[in-house]
mmCIF file of all heavy atoms in Angstrom:
data_model
loop_
_atom_site.group_PDB
_atom_site.id
_atom_site.type_symbol
_atom_site.label_atom_id
_atom_site.label_comp_id
_atom_site.label_asym_id
_atom_site.label_seq_id
_atom_site.Cartn_x
_atom_site.Cartn_y
_atom_site.Cartn_z
ATOM 1 N N ASP A 438 -6.650 -23.760 11.111
ATOM 2 C CA ASP A 438 -5.990 -22.462 10.939
ATOM 3 C C ASP A 438 -5.385 -22.421 9.543
ATOM 4 O O ASP A 438 -4.532 -23.253 9.217
ATOM 5 C CB ASP A 438 -4.900 -22.299 11.998
ATOM 6 C CG ASP A 438 -3.987 -21.118 11.729
ATOM 7 O OD1 ASP A 438 -4.410 -20.186 11.030
ATOM 8 O OD2 ASP A 438 -2.834 -21.140 12.212
ATOM 9 N N ALA A 439 -5.817 -21.470 8.716
ATOM 10 C CA ALA A 439 -5.376 -21.420 7.321
ATOM 11 C C ALA A 439 -3.896 -21.075 7.184
ATOM 12 O O ALA A 439 -3.294 -21.325 6.138
ATOM 13 C CB ALA A 439 -6.213 -20.402 6.547
ATOM 14 N N ALA A 440 -3.296 -20.508 8.222
ATOM 15 C CA ALA A 440 -1.922 -20.018 8.119
ATOM 16 C C ALA A 440 -0.881 -21.036 8.565
ATOM 17 O O ALA A 440 0.317 -20.771 8.473
ATOM 18 C CB ALA A 440 -1.762 -18.740 8.928
ATOM 19 N N SER A 441 -1.313 -22.212 9.044
ATOM 20 C CA SER A 441 -0.367 -23.240 9.470
ATOM 21 C C SER A 441 -0.991 -24.602 9.223
ATOM 22 O O SER A 441 -2.060 -24.709 8.621
ATOM 23 C CB SER A 441 0.005 -23.057 10.944
ATOM 24 O OG SER A 441 -1.126 -23.295 11.776
ATOM 25 N N SER A 442 -0.324 -25.672 9.708
ATOM 26 C CA SER A 442 -0.774 -27.010 9.367
ATOM 27 C C SER A 442 -0.047 -28.036 10.227
ATOM 28 O O SER A 442 0.944 -27.710 10.898
ATOM 29 C CB SER A 442 -0.467 -27.288 7.886
ATOM 30 O OG SER A 442 -0.774 -28.612 7.529
ATOM 31 N N LEU A 443 -0.537 -29.269 10.183
ATOM 32 C CA LEU A 443 0.235 -30.371 10.736
ATOM 33 C C LEU A 443 1.446 -30.666 9.859
ATOM 34 O O LEU A 443 2.389 -31.331 10.287
ATOM 35 C CB LEU A 443 -0.639 -31.626 10.867
ATOM 36 C CG LEU A 443 -1.708 -31.584 11.965
ATOM 37 C CD1 LEU A 443 -2.557 -32.842 11.911
ATOM 38 C CD2 LEU A 443 -1.074 -31.427 13.346
ATOM 39 N N ALA A 444 1.410 -30.188 8.618
ATOM 40 C CA ALA A 444 2.569 -30.250 7.720
ATOM 41 C C ALA A 444 3.501 -29.081 8.028
ATOM 42 O O ALA A 444 3.101 -28.102 8.663
ATOM 43 C CB ALA A 444 2.102 -30.182 6.267
ATOM 44 N N PRO A 445 4.757 -29.147 7.588
ATOM 45 C CA PRO A 445 5.691 -28.021 7.805
ATOM 46 C C PRO A 445 5.378 -26.878 6.846
ATOM 47 O O PRO A 445 6.040 -26.703 5.816
ATOM 48 C CB PRO A 445 7.060 -28.647 7.535
ATOM 49 C CG PRO A 445 6.772 -29.749 6.561
ATOM 50 C CD PRO A 445 5.422 -30.291 6.936
ATOM 51 N N TYR A 446 4.383 -26.094 7.185
ATOM 52 C CA TYR A 446 3.821 -25.087 6.277
ATOM 53 C C TYR A 446 3.398 -23.860 7.076
ATOM 54 O O TYR A 446 2.776 -23.982 8.138
ATOM 55 C CB TYR A 446 2.622 -25.697 5.562
ATOM 56 C CG TYR A 446 1.839 -24.757 4.672
ATOM 57 C CD1 TYR A 446 2.256 -24.483 3.373
ATOM 58 C CD2 TYR A 446 0.660 -24.164 5.126
ATOM 59 C CE1 TYR A 446 1.525 -23.637 2.550
ATOM 60 C CE2 TYR A 446 -0.075 -23.313 4.307
ATOM 61 C CZ TYR A 446 0.352 -23.060 3.021
ATOM 62 O OH TYR A 446 -0.379 -22.211 2.210
ATOM 63 N N ARG A 447 3.735 -22.681 6.542
ATOM 64 C CA ARG A 447 3.338 -21.428 7.183
ATOM 65 C C ARG A 447 3.005 -20.372 6.129
ATOM 66 O O ARG A 447 3.560 -20.378 5.019
ATOM 67 C CB ARG A 447 4.472 -20.877 8.057
ATOM 68 C CG ARG A 447 4.676 -21.585 9.395
ATOM 69 C CD ARG A 447 3.511 -21.328 10.348
ATOM 70 N NE ARG A 447 3.793 -21.804 11.687
ATOM 71 C CZ ARG A 447 3.618 -23.046 12.105
ATOM 72 N NH1 ARG A 447 3.210 -23.967 11.239
ATOM 73 N NH2 ARG A 447 3.865 -23.396 13.348
ATOM 74 N N LEU A 448 2.115 -19.459 6.497
ATOM 75 C CA LEU A 448 1.826 -18.268 5.697
ATOM 76 C C LEU A 448 2.017 -17.038 6.577
ATOM 77 O O LEU A 448 1.591 -17.033 7.740
ATOM 78 C CB LEU A 448 0.382 -18.276 5.178
ATOM 79 C CG LEU A 448 0.005 -19.267 4.091
ATOM 80 C CD1 LEU A 448 -1.500 -19.209 3.837
ATOM 81 C CD2 LEU A 448 0.774 -18.981 2.808
ATOM 82 N N TYR A 449 2.660 -15.994 6.004
ATOM 83 C CA TYR A 449 2.831 -14.736 6.732
ATOM 84 C C TYR A 449 2.518 -13.550 5.827
ATOM 85 O O TYR A 449 2.844 -13.559 4.641
ATOM 86 C CB TYR A 449 4.279 -14.570 7.223
ATOM 87 C CG TYR A 449 4.729 -15.577 8.238
ATOM 88 C CD1 TYR A 449 5.702 -16.521 7.911
ATOM 89 C CD2 TYR A 449 4.208 -15.574 9.535
ATOM 90 C CE1 TYR A 449 6.133 -17.454 8.845
ATOM 91 C CE2 TYR A 449 4.643 -16.504 10.469
ATOM 92 C CZ TYR A 449 5.593 -17.448 10.125
ATOM 93 O OH TYR A 449 6.021 -18.369 11.044
ATOM 94 N N ASN A 450 1.904 -12.531 6.419
ATOM 95 C CA ASN A 450 1.835 -11.226 5.774
ATOM 96 C C ASN A 450 3.165 -10.510 5.971
ATOM 97 O O ASN A 450 3.760 -10.584 7.052
ATOM 98 C CB ASN A 450 0.755 -10.343 6.420
ATOM 99 C CG ASN A 450 -0.656 -10.822 6.148
ATOM 100 O OD1 ASN A 450 -0.931 -11.452 5.129
ATOM 101 N ND2 ASN A 450 -1.576 -10.496 7.052
ATOM 102 N N ILE A 451 3.624 -9.809 4.924
ATOM 103 C CA ILE A 451 4.719 -8.848 5.100
ATOM 104 C C ILE A 451 4.217 -7.509 4.580
ATOM 105 O O ILE A 451 4.069 -7.290 3.378
ATOM 106 C CB ILE A 451 6.006 -9.249 4.347
ATOM 107 C CG1 ILE A 451 6.529 -10.596 4.843
ATOM 108 C CG2 ILE A 451 7.071 -8.183 4.579
ATOM 109 C CD1 ILE A 451 7.907 -10.948 4.333
ATOM 110 N N GLY A 452 3.903 -6.637 5.509
ATOM 111 C CA GLY A 452 3.432 -5.294 5.173
ATOM 112 C C GLY A 452 3.959 -4.317 6.205
ATOM 113 O O GLY A 452 4.689 -4.693 7.127
ATOM 114 N N ASN A 453 3.558 -3.080 6.072
ATOM 115 C CA ASN A 453 4.016 -2.034 6.991
ATOM 116 C C ASN A 453 3.055 -1.829 8.147
ATOM 117 O O ASN A 453 3.298 -1.025 9.032
ATOM 118 C CB ASN A 453 4.221 -0.712 6.235
ATOM 119 C CG ASN A 453 5.297 0.147 6.855
ATOM 120 O OD1 ASN A 453 6.260 -0.363 7.412
ATOM 121 N ND2 ASN A 453 5.123 1.453 6.784
ATOM 122 N N HIS A 454 1.917 -2.548 8.106
ATOM 123 C CA HIS A 454 0.881 -2.458 9.135
ATOM 124 C C HIS A 454 0.390 -1.013 9.307
ATOM 125 O O HIS A 454 0.163 -0.546 10.412
ATOM 126 C CB HIS A 454 1.391 -3.025 10.454
ATOM 127 C CG HIS A 454 0.306 -3.249 11.473
ATOM 128 N ND1 HIS A 454 -0.937 -3.749 11.146
ATOM 129 C CD2 HIS A 454 0.265 -3.015 12.818
ATOM 130 C CE1 HIS A 454 -1.687 -3.823 12.235
ATOM 131 N NE2 HIS A 454 -0.972 -3.383 13.264
ATOM 132 N N GLN A 455 0.258 -0.321 8.179
ATOM 133 C CA GLN A 455 -0.251 1.056 8.199
ATOM 134 C C GLN A 455 -1.133 1.291 6.981
ATOM 135 O O GLN A 455 -0.806 0.861 5.881
ATOM 136 C CB GLN A 455 0.894 2.075 8.172
ATOM 137 C CG GLN A 455 1.669 2.188 9.455
ATOM 138 C CD GLN A 455 2.615 3.382 9.423
ATOM 139 O OE1 GLN A 455 2.517 4.244 8.557
ATOM 140 N NE2 GLN A 455 3.524 3.423 10.364
ATOM 141 N N ARG A 456 -2.241 1.986 7.206
ATOM 142 C CA ARG A 456 -3.086 2.389 6.088
ATOM 143 C C ARG A 456 -2.615 3.767 5.614
ATOM 144 O O ARG A 456 -2.600 4.723 6.390
ATOM 145 C CB ARG A 456 -4.555 2.482 6.501
ATOM 146 C CG ARG A 456 -5.103 1.209 7.124
ATOM 147 C CD ARG A 456 -6.557 1.370 7.526
ATOM 148 N NE ARG A 456 -6.938 0.329 8.489
ATOM 149 C CZ ARG A 456 -8.149 0.205 9.010
ATOM 150 N NH1 ARG A 456 -9.100 1.067 8.669
ATOM 151 N NH2 ARG A 456 -8.412 -0.754 9.870
ATOM 152 N N VAL A 457 -2.234 3.850 4.353
ATOM 153 C CA VAL A 457 -1.752 5.118 3.794
ATOM 154 C C VAL A 457 -2.652 5.505 2.627
ATOM 155 O O VAL A 457 -2.828 4.729 1.690
ATOM 156 C CB VAL A 457 -0.287 4.997 3.314
ATOM 157 C CG1 VAL A 457 0.163 6.279 2.624
ATOM 158 C CG2 VAL A 457 0.626 4.665 4.496
ATOM 159 N N GLU A 458 -3.218 6.691 2.699
ATOM 160 C CA GLU A 458 -4.072 7.163 1.618
ATOM 161 C C GLU A 458 -3.229 7.427 0.377
ATOM 162 O O GLU A 458 -2.099 7.914 0.466
ATOM 163 C CB GLU A 458 -4.808 8.442 2.030
ATOM 164 C CG GLU A 458 -5.760 8.292 3.203
ATOM 165 C CD GLU A 458 -5.059 8.336 4.560
ATOM 166 O OE1 GLU A 458 -3.829 8.624 4.589
ATOM 167 O OE2 GLU A 458 -5.733 8.066 5.570
ATOM 168 N N LEU A 459 -3.788 7.113 -0.778
ATOM 169 C CA LEU A 459 -3.065 7.304 -2.034
ATOM 170 C C LEU A 459 -2.641 8.756 -2.206
ATOM 171 O O LEU A 459 -1.541 9.039 -2.709
ATOM 172 C CB LEU A 459 -3.936 6.859 -3.211
ATOM 173 C CG LEU A 459 -3.293 6.943 -4.597
ATOM 174 C CD1 LEU A 459 -2.027 6.097 -4.674
ATOM 175 C CD2 LEU A 459 -4.286 6.497 -5.667
ATOM 176 N N LEU A 460 -3.473 9.688 -1.781
ATOM 177 C CA LEU A 460 -3.125 11.103 -1.949
ATOM 178 C C LEU A 460 -1.939 11.494 -1.062
ATOM 179 O O LEU A 460 -1.146 12.363 -1.430
ATOM 180 C CB LEU A 460 -4.342 11.987 -1.661
ATOM 181 C CG LEU A 460 -5.501 11.815 -2.660
ATOM 182 C CD1 LEU A 460 -6.673 12.727 -2.295
ATOM 183 C CD2 LEU A 460 -5.042 12.098 -4.089
ATOM 184 N N ARG A 461 -1.790 10.856 0.095
ATOM 185 C CA ARG A 461 -0.593 11.097 0.922
ATOM 186 C C ARG A 461 0.644 10.584 0.197
ATOM 187 O O ARG A 461 1.715 11.225 0.232
ATOM 188 C CB ARG A 461 -0.732 10.411 2.275
ATOM 189 C CG ARG A 461 0.525 10.503 3.135
ATOM 190 C CD ARG A 461 0.401 9.716 4.421
ATOM 191 N NE ARG A 461 1.702 9.514 5.061
ATOM 192 C CZ ARG A 461 1.916 8.715 6.093
ATOM 193 N NH1 ARG A 461 0.895 8.038 6.632
ATOM 194 N NH2 ARG A 461 3.137 8.565 6.601
ATOM 195 N N TYR A 462 0.522 9.445 -0.445
ATOM 196 C CA TYR A 462 1.612 8.863 -1.230
ATOM 197 C C TYR A 462 2.037 9.833 -2.329
ATOM 198 O O TYR A 462 3.233 10.077 -2.541
ATOM 199 C CB TYR A 462 1.107 7.555 -1.826
ATOM 200 C CG TYR A 462 2.135 6.584 -2.348
ATOM 201 C CD1 TYR A 462 3.153 6.104 -1.550
ATOM 202 C CD2 TYR A 462 2.022 6.084 -3.640
ATOM 203 C CE1 TYR A 462 4.050 5.154 -2.020
ATOM 204 C CE2 TYR A 462 2.912 5.137 -4.119
ATOM 205 C CZ TYR A 462 3.930 4.679 -3.303
ATOM 206 O OH TYR A 462 4.813 3.733 -3.769
ATOM 207 N N ILE A 463 1.065 10.411 -3.002
ATOM 208 C CA ILE A 463 1.355 11.372 -4.077
ATOM 209 C C ILE A 463 2.000 12.627 -3.514
ATOM 210 O O ILE A 463 2.946 13.176 -4.105
ATOM 211 C CB ILE A 463 0.066 11.693 -4.859
ATOM 212 C CG1 ILE A 463 -0.403 10.434 -5.619
ATOM 213 C CG2 ILE A 463 0.291 12.856 -5.830
ATOM 214 C CD1 ILE A 463 -1.773 10.567 -6.251
ATOM 215 N N ARG A 464 1.532 13.084 -2.355
ATOM 216 C CA ARG A 464 2.151 14.263 -1.736
ATOM 217 C C ARG A 464 3.617 13.992 -1.384
ATOM 218 O O ARG A 464 4.471 14.886 -1.489
ATOM 219 C CB ARG A 464 1.373 14.677 -0.482
ATOM 220 C CG ARG A 464 0.025 15.325 -0.780
ATOM 221 C CD ARG A 464 -0.537 16.041 0.436
ATOM 222 N NE ARG A 464 -0.810 15.125 1.542
ATOM 223 C CZ ARG A 464 -1.956 14.477 1.725
ATOM 224 N NH1 ARG A 464 -2.946 14.653 0.854
ATOM 225 N NH2 ARG A 464 -2.123 13.692 2.761
ATOM 226 N N ALA A 465 3.919 12.757 -0.972
ATOM 227 C CA ALA A 465 5.311 12.400 -0.662
ATOM 228 C C ALA A 465 6.172 12.467 -1.926
ATOM 229 O O ALA A 465 7.333 12.905 -1.885
ATOM 230 C CB ALA A 465 5.373 11.007 -0.048
ATOM 231 N N ILE A 466 5.615 12.042 -3.070
ATOM 232 C CA ILE A 466 6.355 12.130 -4.330
ATOM 233 C C ILE A 466 6.571 13.589 -4.706
ATOM 234 O O ILE A 466 7.667 13.981 -5.137
ATOM 235 C CB ILE A 466 5.605 11.397 -5.464
ATOM 236 C CG1 ILE A 466 5.361 9.937 -5.094
ATOM 237 C CG2 ILE A 466 6.405 11.477 -6.769
ATOM 238 C CD1 ILE A 466 4.427 9.210 -6.049
ATOM 239 N N GLU A 467 5.534 14.411 -4.556
ATOM 240 C CA GLU A 467 5.655 15.844 -4.854
ATOM 241 C C GLU A 467 6.774 16.476 -4.024
ATOM 242 O O GLU A 467 7.595 17.246 -4.544
ATOM 243 C CB GLU A 467 4.338 16.558 -4.555
ATOM 244 C CG GLU A 467 3.204 16.222 -5.498
ATOM 245 C CD GLU A 467 1.895 16.874 -5.092
ATOM 246 O OE1 GLU A 467 1.677 17.070 -3.869
ATOM 247 O OE2 GLU A 467 1.097 17.202 -5.981
ATOM 248 N N ALA A 468 6.819 16.140 -2.731
ATOM 249 C CA ALA A 468 7.837 16.722 -1.854
ATOM 250 C C ALA A 468 9.234 16.283 -2.284
ATOM 251 O O ALA A 468 10.174 17.099 -2.301
ATOM 252 C CB ALA A 468 7.568 16.307 -0.411
ATOM 253 N N ALA A 469 9.385 15.011 -2.644
ATOM 254 C CA ALA A 469 10.697 14.512 -3.045
ATOM 255 C C ALA A 469 11.125 15.036 -4.407
ATOM 256 O O ALA A 469 12.314 15.269 -4.653
ATOM 257 C CB ALA A 469 10.682 12.983 -3.059
ATOM 258 N N ALA A 470 10.148 15.231 -5.302
ATOM 259 C CA ALA A 470 10.456 15.681 -6.659
ATOM 260 C C ALA A 470 10.525 17.196 -6.769
ATOM 261 O O ALA A 470 11.066 17.728 -7.757
ATOM 262 C CB ALA A 470 9.406 15.148 -7.632
ATOM 263 N N GLY A 471 9.972 17.892 -5.797
ATOM 264 C CA GLY A 471 9.932 19.357 -5.859
ATOM 265 C C GLY A 471 8.987 19.870 -6.933
ATOM 266 O O GLY A 471 9.172 20.966 -7.455
ATOM 267 N N ARG A 472 7.987 19.078 -7.269
ATOM 268 C CA ARG A 472 7.007 19.450 -8.297
ATOM 269 C C ARG A 472 5.606 19.112 -7.803
ATOM 270 O O ARG A 472 5.413 18.184 -7.015
ATOM 271 C CB ARG A 472 7.245 18.669 -9.604
ATOM 272 C CG ARG A 472 8.682 18.689 -10.117
ATOM 273 C CD ARG A 472 8.964 19.862 -11.000
ATOM 274 N NE ARG A 472 10.299 19.762 -11.581
ATOM 275 C CZ ARG A 472 10.567 19.190 -12.749
ATOM 276 N NH1 ARG A 472 9.585 18.642 -13.449
ATOM 277 N NH2 ARG A 472 11.803 19.161 -13.228
ATOM 278 N N LYS A 473 4.615 19.841 -8.335
ATOM 279 C CA LYS A 473 3.219 19.529 -8.045
ATOM 280 C C LYS A 473 2.682 18.560 -9.083
ATOM 281 O O LYS A 473 3.024 18.631 -10.267
ATOM 282 C CB LYS A 473 2.367 20.791 -8.041
ATOM 283 C CG LYS A 473 2.638 21.736 -6.881
ATOM 284 C CD LYS A 473 2.226 21.127 -5.539
ATOM 285 C CE LYS A 473 0.716 20.998 -5.419
ATOM 286 N NZ LYS A 473 0.328 20.416 -4.089
ATOM 287 N N ALA A 474 1.832 17.653 -8.621
ATOM 288 C CA ALA A 474 1.232 16.672 -9.521
ATOM 289 C C ALA A 474 -0.036 17.220 -10.161
ATOM 290 O O ALA A 474 -0.787 17.971 -9.536
ATOM 291 C CB ALA A 474 0.905 15.400 -8.758
ATOM 292 N N VAL A 475 -0.265 16.830 -11.398
ATOM 293 C CA VAL A 475 -1.538 17.086 -12.084
ATOM 294 C C VAL A 475 -2.283 15.758 -12.074
ATOM 295 O O VAL A 475 -1.793 14.755 -12.620
ATOM 296 C CB VAL A 475 -1.322 17.566 -13.532
ATOM 297 C CG1 VAL A 475 -2.663 17.779 -14.215
ATOM 298 C CG2 VAL A 475 -0.478 18.833 -13.547
ATOM 299 N N LEU A 476 -3.444 15.735 -11.423
ATOM 300 C CA LEU A 476 -4.166 14.485 -11.224
ATOM 301 C C LEU A 476 -5.243 14.277 -12.281
ATOM 302 O O LEU A 476 -6.064 15.158 -12.527
ATOM 303 C CB LEU A 476 -4.817 14.460 -9.838
ATOM 304 C CG LEU A 476 -3.911 14.766 -8.635
ATOM 305 C CD1 LEU A 476 -4.690 14.610 -7.342
ATOM 306 C CD2 LEU A 476 -2.683 13.868 -8.636
ATOM 307 N N ASP A 477 -5.220 13.091 -12.887
ATOM 308 C CA ASP A 477 -6.283 12.674 -13.802
ATOM 309 C C ASP A 477 -7.140 11.672 -13.032
ATOM 310 O O ASP A 477 -6.813 10.491 -12.956
ATOM 311 C CB ASP A 477 -5.675 12.027 -15.056
ATOM 312 C CG ASP A 477 -6.729 11.585 -16.057
ATOM 313 O OD1 ASP A 477 -7.900 12.000 -15.923
ATOM 314 O OD2 ASP A 477 -6.385 10.822 -16.978
ATOM 315 N N LEU A 478 -8.222 12.155 -12.421
ATOM 316 C CA LEU A 478 -9.046 11.328 -11.552
ATOM 317 C C LEU A 478 -9.921 10.389 -12.378
ATOM 318 O O LEU A 478 -10.711 10.839 -13.215
ATOM 319 C CB LEU A 478 -9.904 12.218 -10.651
ATOM 320 C CG LEU A 478 -9.106 13.170 -9.739
ATOM 321 C CD1 LEU A 478 -10.047 14.051 -8.939
ATOM 322 C CD2 LEU A 478 -8.179 12.385 -8.816
ATOM 323 N N LEU A 479 -9.784 9.097 -12.117
ATOM 324 C CA LEU A 479 -10.447 8.063 -12.913
ATOM 325 C C LEU A 479 -11.237 7.129 -12.009
ATOM 326 O O LEU A 479 -10.984 7.045 -10.804
ATOM 327 C CB LEU A 479 -9.399 7.256 -13.693
ATOM 328 C CG LEU A 479 -8.525 8.046 -14.672
ATOM 329 C CD1 LEU A 479 -7.377 7.178 -15.156
ATOM 330 C CD2 LEU A 479 -9.357 8.548 -15.842
ATOM 331 N N PRO A 480 -12.202 6.387 -12.570
ATOM 332 C CA PRO A 480 -12.957 5.420 -11.765
ATOM 333 C C PRO A 480 -12.096 4.212 -11.390
ATOM 334 O O PRO A 480 -11.009 4.010 -11.934
ATOM 335 C CB PRO A 480 -14.111 5.023 -12.692
ATOM 336 C CG PRO A 480 -13.596 5.272 -14.069
ATOM 337 C CD PRO A 480 -12.690 6.463 -13.960
ATOM 338 N N MET A 481 -12.605 3.403 -10.483
ATOM 339 C CA MET A 481 -11.920 2.181 -10.072
ATOM 340 C C MET A 481 -11.765 1.243 -11.257
ATOM 341 O O MET A 481 -12.674 1.101 -12.073
ATOM 342 C CB MET A 481 -12.727 1.475 -8.980
ATOM 343 C CG MET A 481 -12.120 0.176 -8.496
ATOM 344 S SD MET A 481 -10.780 0.411 -7.312
ATOM 345 C CE MET A 481 -11.745 0.580 -5.801
ATOM 346 N N GLN A 482 -10.608 0.614 -11.364
ATOM 347 C CA GLN A 482 -10.380 -0.333 -12.445
ATOM 348 C C GLN A 482 -10.785 -1.742 -12.030
ATOM 349 O O GLN A 482 -10.699 -2.106 -10.855
ATOM 350 C CB GLN A 482 -8.898 -0.328 -12.839
ATOM 351 C CG GLN A 482 -8.523 0.840 -13.728
ATOM 352 C CD GLN A 482 -7.402 0.448 -14.674
ATOM 353 O OE1 GLN A 482 -6.534 -0.319 -14.326
ATOM 354 N NE2 GLN A 482 -7.441 0.971 -15.879
#
């Protein structure tokens, strides 16, 4: 098991256990800022 061992060793994920689309994230910023975003759509880096 990669996440534990016979040694005193552990690995854990710390996340929110939710998939959030980037555009939803941006909409949340728009709502909090009271402004609309101008999107510069770019390829994957």
Side-chain angles (χ1 to χ4, degrees):
D438 169 24
S441 66
S442 175
L443 289 176
Y446 175 82
R447 284 291 190 276
L448 289 174
Y449 295 112
N450 291 332
I451 299 190
N453 210 32
H454 193 40
Q455 287 190 13
R456 305 179 198 181
V457 175
E458 297 81 7
L459 182 59
L460 295 180
R461 174 185 165 190
Y462 197 56
I463 293 171
R464 287 195 297 271
I466 303 170
E467 290 176 329
R472 310 272 186 91
K473 291 293 291 181
V475 178
L476 308 184
D477 181 14
L478 300 177
L479 300 169
M481 179 80 84
Q482 281 211 325

